[in-house]
Amino acid sequence: MAETALLPAYLIVGADEYKRSRAVERMKARLDESGMAAFNLDERDMTRDPAIDDIVASLNTFPMGAPFRLVILNGCDKLPKAVSEPIVSYLADPAPSTVCLIVASSLAKNTRLYKAVAKIGAKAVVDCAPKKAWEMPKQVVAMARAHGKAMGLPAAEELVSRAGEASRMLDNELARLAQMVEGPEITVADVERLVMRTAEVKPWDFLNAVSARDLPRALELLALQPDRSEVRLYSLLVGRLRELIVAKALDARGAGRELASTLGLQGWQVKNHLGWARRWRMEDLLEGLSGAAEVELALKGSRDSALALRMWVISLCRRPARG
């Protein structure tokens, strides 16, 4: 969409609302350059009863004092056939001076509408699928720059942990932080001070803190876990210790690259395991796994299960990290 020569239609599709809105805003900005946007912009909500004849007529209208006319069709996820088919027919021979943006949170690739847009060009489909959870902090760093602020990865990770992974919510929080933070950078301390935790803490953040032997962080996240989740956390933590044992053994043999395949996981799922494993001695990991048996007994037969898990976490994280 940043190319000089625009295509006559684009499909902006994906569940990431922030990405979709940014794609639409970029196209509107190109139209604004002409100074005639008020005469050449037609934006429709297709979730309501759309006047399809009027829409097709708008698509075929010549621009006024601008290089192109922009027609935005929002909410095209589940259009009735009586509405989608006229658009498909139009896309077979679209007006060269109109850009039609078809916006949807999801649209199957086997639909006639999707295929009609895809035929227009290799870049006609704008993918707005959300990032994976582990990719979100990097996206937040880039989003912060759009608000005129620098942001390190630790601060971005803390923001995602507190506000969740919805890109629109994160952008709103960044806009608010940019106004409240006077300095050029939004720090971890700024996020902790100014952002209320609304997202449920995921167990993976807790496991990662233990893996990194970050005791304060691990205890903070443990305290935020849902009530009566000790058995599940225990099971997940035992699994993580076993993964770190494998990572430690492979790393010692210079075969760290085989970790994902050995564990039967995707590469992104173990991208930090080798670094974490180097913070442990092998005997520390084995002792931690051996001590899990006593913790399991406490979890199943004691009212102090939360205390038992907490003490185990402390013992794991406080072991000296050597070699």
Side-chain angles (χ1 to χ4, degrees):
M1 290 175 62
E3 294 178 335
T4 302
L6 294 171
L7 297 175
Y10 295 91
L11 171 60
I12 300 174
V13 59
D16 192 319
E17 183 183 355
Y18 173 78
K19 285 185 180 179
R20 295 201 312 268
S21 64
R22 289 285 293 171
V24 172
E25 288 166 7
R26 285 196 296 270
M27 187 60 72
K28 284 183 176 179
R30 293 195 62 163
L31 184 62
D32 286 340
E33 293 173 1
S34 68
M36 299 290 286
F39 300 96
N40 295 292
L41 175 62
D42 185 3
E43 193 163 3
R44 307 286 183 116
D45 182 357
M46 303 299 284
T47 61
R48 299 178 180 178
D49 186 16
I52 189 59
D53 291 340
D54 289 345
I55 292 172
V56 173
S58 179
L59 289 166
N60 284 306
T61 299
F62 286 101
M64 181 183 297
F68 69 96
R69 178 176 173 81
L70 180 59
V71 178
I72 304 172
L73 307 180
N74 291 303
C76 293
D77 301 60
K78 296 180 180 180
L79 296 179
K81 190 173 182 179
V83 174
S84 64
E85 281 304 310
I87 299 175
V88 170
S89 297
Y90 165 80
L91 294 173
D93 185 22
S97 57
T98 296
V99 174
C100 176
L101 295 188
I102 298 170
V103 185
S105 60
S106 65
L107 188 65
K109 293 183 179 181
N110 62 355
T111 60
R112 284 173 53 78
L113 183 56
Y114 189 106
K115 292 177 180 179
V117 180
K119 283 183 180 180
I120 289 175
K123 297 184 178 181
V125 177
V126 181
D127 184 8
C128 295
K131 295 280 189 182
K132 293 181 175 65
W134 63 271
E135 296 176 309
M136 282 307 302
K138 289 184 179 180
Q139 179 173 324
V140 168
V141 170
M143 291 164 64
R145 287 197 293 267
H147 291 283
K149 295 289 185 179
M151 193 175 203
L153 199 57
E157 290 172 345
E158 183 63 25
L159 181 58
V160 172
S161 174
R162 288 172 176 263
E165 298 164 14
S167 56
R168 174 57 65 190
M169 178 65 74
L170 289 167
D171 189 56
N172 290 341
E173 288 291 350
L174 286 170
R176 189 173 64 85
L177 286 167
Q179 292 181 342
M180 300 179 72
V181 175
E182 295 183 0
E185 180 177 358
I186 299 171
T187 66
V188 174
D190 293 326
V191 176
E192 292 175 341
R193 177 170 54 92
L194 299 171
V195 180
M196 181 180 297
R197 185 178 295 278
T198 57
E200 179 179 333
V201 177
K202 296 184 178 180
W204 321 118
D205 296 329
F206 163 68
L207 296 180
N208 294 345
V210 175
S211 300
R213 311 194 86 169
D214 185 343
L215 180 57
R217 180 68 170 166
L219 293 179
E220 176 193 358
L221 293 173
L222 177 59
L224 293 170
Q225 298 296 321
D227 291 339
R228 300 181 180 179
S229 60
E230 290 84 8
V231 173
R232 179 170 185 251
L233 293 174
Y234 162 82
S235 177
L236 291 172
L237 191 49
V238 168
R240 177 58 64 84
L241 287 174
R242 287 171 175 159
E243 291 172 0
L244 292 177
I245 289 170
V246 174
K248 188 77 176 175
L250 289 175
D251 193 34
R253 300 203 303 262
R257 292 183 179 180
E258 300 174 12
L259 179 59
S261 60
T262 301
L263 294 175
L265 299 173
Q266 298 294 318
W268 63 268
Q269 293 177 293
V270 297
K271 65 186 182 74
N272 293 316
H273 278 47
L274 290 175
W276 288 329
R278 290 165 186 161
R279 302 186 184 194
W280 302 73
R281 298 179 305 172
M282 180 61 84
E283 51 264 42
D284 292 342
L285 290 166
L286 294 173
E287 287 176 11
L289 194 58
S290 176
E294 295 182 8
V295 179
E296 183 178 13
L297 292 174
L299 292 177
K300 292 181 177 180
S302 169
R303 289 180 296 179
D304 296 328
S305 58
L307 178 61
L309 181 62
R310 178 183 173 87
M311 295 306 296
W312 185 44
V313 169
I314 292 173
S315 69
L316 290 171
C317 292
R318 279 187 173 171
R319 285 190 167 87
R322 298 190 297 271

Short mmCIF file of all heavy atoms in Angstrom, two decimals, residues 6-27:
data_model
loop_
_atom_site.label_atom_id
_atom_site.label_comp_id
_atom_site.label_asym_id
_atom_site.label_seq_id
_atom_site.Cartn_x
_atom_site.Cartn_y
_atom_site.Cartn_z
N LEU A 6 -1.11 2.70 -6.81
CA LEU A 6 -2.03 1.97 -5.95
C LEU A 6 -2.82 0.95 -6.75
O LEU A 6 -3.15 1.17 -7.92
CB LEU A 6 -2.99 2.95 -5.27
CG LEU A 6 -2.36 3.93 -4.28
CD1 LEU A 6 -3.38 4.98 -3.86
CD2 LEU A 6 -1.83 3.19 -3.08
N LEU A 7 -3.15 -0.14 -6.10
CA LEU A 7 -4.05 -1.12 -6.70
C LEU A 7 -5.49 -0.62 -6.55
O LEU A 7 -5.79 0.17 -5.65
CB LEU A 7 -3.89 -2.47 -6.02
CG LEU A 7 -2.52 -3.14 -6.13
CD1 LEU A 7 -2.47 -4.42 -5.30
CD2 LEU A 7 -2.19 -3.44 -7.59
N PRO A 8 -6.39 -1.08 -7.39
CA PRO A 8 -7.78 -0.62 -7.29
C PRO A 8 -8.53 -1.20 -6.10
O PRO A 8 -9.62 -0.72 -5.78
CB PRO A 8 -8.40 -1.07 -8.61
CG PRO A 8 -7.56 -2.22 -9.06
CD PRO A 8 -6.17 -1.92 -8.58
N ALA A 9 -8.00 -2.21 -5.43
CA ALA A 9 -8.68 -2.78 -4.28
C ALA A 9 -7.67 -3.49 -3.38
O ALA A 9 -6.67 -4.04 -3.86
CB ALA A 9 -9.77 -3.75 -4.70
N TYR A 10 -7.97 -3.47 -2.09
CA TYR A 10 -7.17 -4.18 -1.10
C TYR A 10 -8.12 -4.86 -0.13
O TYR A 10 -9.19 -4.33 0.20
CB TYR A 10 -6.27 -3.22 -0.31
CG TYR A 10 -5.20 -2.54 -1.12
CD1 TYR A 10 -5.44 -1.31 -1.72
CD2 TYR A 10 -3.94 -3.11 -1.27
CE1 TYR A 10 -4.45 -0.66 -2.46
CE2 TYR A 10 -2.95 -2.47 -1.99
CZ TYR A 10 -3.21 -1.25 -2.60
OH TYR A 10 -2.23 -0.62 -3.32
N LEU A 11 -7.70 -6.02 0.35
CA LEU A 11 -8.40 -6.69 1.43
C LEU A 11 -7.54 -6.57 2.68
O LEU A 11 -6.42 -7.10 2.72
CB LEU A 11 -8.64 -8.17 1.09
CG LEU A 11 -9.18 -9.04 2.23
CD1 LEU A 11 -10.53 -8.53 2.71
CD2 LEU A 11 -9.27 -10.50 1.80
N ILE A 12 -8.03 -5.87 3.67
CA ILE A 12 -7.33 -5.70 4.94
C ILE A 12 -7.97 -6.67 5.91
O ILE A 12 -9.07 -6.42 6.42
CB ILE A 12 -7.44 -4.24 5.43
CG1 ILE A 12 -6.82 -3.30 4.39
CG2 ILE A 12 -6.75 -4.07 6.77
CD1 ILE A 12 -7.01 -1.85 4.69
N VAL A 13 -7.31 -7.79 6.17
CA VAL A 13 -7.96 -8.87 6.90
C VAL A 13 -7.09 -9.38 8.04
O VAL A 13 -5.88 -9.56 7.88
CB VAL A 13 -8.32 -10.03 5.94
CG1 VAL A 13 -7.08 -10.58 5.24
CG2 VAL A 13 -9.09 -11.12 6.65
N GLY A 14 -7.70 -9.60 9.18
CA GLY A 14 -6.98 -10.14 10.33
C GLY A 14 -7.60 -9.65 11.63
O GLY A 14 -8.27 -8.61 11.67
N ALA A 15 -7.36 -10.37 12.69
CA ALA A 15 -7.99 -10.07 13.97
C ALA A 15 -7.31 -8.94 14.73
O ALA A 15 -7.84 -8.47 15.74
CB ALA A 15 -8.01 -11.33 14.85
N ASP A 16 -6.14 -8.48 14.25
CA ASP A 16 -5.43 -7.40 14.95
C ASP A 16 -6.04 -6.06 14.57
O ASP A 16 -5.79 -5.51 13.49
CB ASP A 16 -3.94 -7.43 14.57
CG ASP A 16 -3.10 -6.54 15.48
OD1 ASP A 16 -3.56 -5.43 15.79
OD2 ASP A 16 -1.99 -6.96 15.85
N GLU A 17 -6.85 -5.52 15.47
CA GLU A 17 -7.57 -4.28 15.19
C GLU A 17 -6.62 -3.12 14.97
O GLU A 17 -6.85 -2.24 14.14
CB GLU A 17 -8.52 -3.96 16.34
CG GLU A 17 -9.38 -2.74 16.12
CD GLU A 17 -10.25 -2.41 17.31
OE1 GLU A 17 -10.25 -3.21 18.28
OE2 GLU A 17 -10.92 -1.36 17.29
N TYR A 18 -5.52 -3.09 15.72
CA TYR A 18 -4.54 -2.02 15.57
C TYR A 18 -3.94 -2.02 14.16
O TYR A 18 -3.84 -0.98 13.51
CB TYR A 18 -3.44 -2.16 16.62
CG TYR A 18 -2.29 -1.20 16.45
CD1 TYR A 18 -2.41 0.12 16.84
CD2 TYR A 18 -1.09 -1.61 15.87
CE1 TYR A 18 -1.35 1.01 16.69
CE2 TYR A 18 -0.04 -0.73 15.72
CZ TYR A 18 -0.17 0.59 16.13
OH TYR A 18 0.87 1.46 15.97
N LYS A 19 -3.54 -3.18 13.70
CA LYS A 19 -2.96 -3.28 12.36
C LYS A 19 -3.97 -2.85 11.30
O LYS A 19 -3.63 -2.14 10.34
CB LYS A 19 -2.50 -4.71 12.07
CG LYS A 19 -1.23 -5.13 12.77
CD LYS A 19 -0.85 -6.53 12.30
CE LYS A 19 0.41 -7.02 12.94
NZ LYS A 19 0.77 -8.38 12.48
N ARG A 20 -5.22 -3.29 11.46
CA ARG A 20 -6.24 -2.92 10.47
C ARG A 20 -6.43 -1.41 10.44
O ARG A 20 -6.48 -0.80 9.36
CB ARG A 20 -7.57 -3.61 10.79
CG ARG A 20 -7.56 -5.11 10.67
CD ARG A 20 -8.98 -5.69 10.50
NE ARG A 20 -9.92 -5.15 11.44
CZ ARG A 20 -10.21 -5.67 12.62
NH1 ARG A 20 -9.57 -6.78 13.01
NH2 ARG A 20 -11.11 -5.14 13.42
N SER A 21 -6.55 -0.82 11.60
CA SER A 21 -6.79 0.63 11.65
C SER A 21 -5.60 1.41 11.10
O SER A 21 -5.77 2.42 10.42
CB SER A 21 -7.09 1.07 13.08
OG SER A 21 -5.99 0.86 13.94
N ARG A 22 -4.39 0.91 11.36
CA ARG A 22 -3.20 1.59 10.83
C ARG A 22 -3.15 1.53 9.30
O ARG A 22 -2.79 2.50 8.63
CB ARG A 22 -1.94 0.95 11.42
CG ARG A 22 -1.72 1.25 12.88
CD ARG A 22 -1.24 2.65 13.13
NE ARG A 22 0.10 2.85 12.59
CZ ARG A 22 0.70 4.04 12.53
NH1 ARG A 22 0.06 5.12 12.92
NH2 ARG A 22 1.92 4.14 12.04
N ALA A 23 -3.54 0.37 8.75
CA ALA A 23 -3.56 0.24 7.29
C ALA A 23 -4.57 1.20 6.67
O ALA A 23 -4.29 1.84 5.65
CB ALA A 23 -3.89 -1.20 6.91
N VAL A 24 -5.73 1.31 7.30
CA VAL A 24 -6.74 2.24 6.79
C VAL A 24 -6.28 3.68 6.94
O VAL A 24 -6.45 4.50 6.02
CB VAL A 24 -8.08 2.02 7.54
CG1 VAL A 24 -9.09 3.11 7.16
CG2 VAL A 24 -8.66 0.65 7.22
N GLU A 25 -5.66 4.00 8.08
CA GLU A 25 -5.18 5.37 8.31
C GLU A 25 -4.12 5.78 7.30
O GLU A 25 -4.07 6.93 6.87
CB GLU A 25 -4.64 5.49 9.74
CG GLU A 25 -5.73 5.48 10.80
CD GLU A 25 -5.17 5.26 12.20
OE1 GLU A 25 -3.92 5.26 12.33
OE2 GLU A 25 -5.95 5.08 13.14
N ARG A 26 -3.24 4.83 6.94
CA ARG A 26 -2.20 5.15 5.96
C ARG A 26 -2.82 5.51 4.61
O ARG A 26 -2.36 6.43 3.92
CB ARG A 26 -1.23 3.98 5.81
CG ARG A 26 -0.26 3.82 6.98
CD ARG A 26 0.91 2.92 6.62
NE ARG A 26 0.48 1.56 6.33
CZ ARG A 26 0.37 0.60 7.23
NH1 ARG A 26 0.64 0.86 8.50
NH2 ARG A 26 0.00 -0.61 6.89
N MET A 27 -3.86 4.78 4.22
CA MET A 27 -4.50 5.08 2.94
C MET A 27 -5.24 6.41 3.01
O MET A 27 -5.23 7.20 2.05
CB MET A 27 -5.45 3.95 2.55
CG MET A 27 -6.02 4.10 1.15
SD MET A 27 -4.75 4.13 -0.14
CE MET A 27 -4.24 2.41 -0.12
#
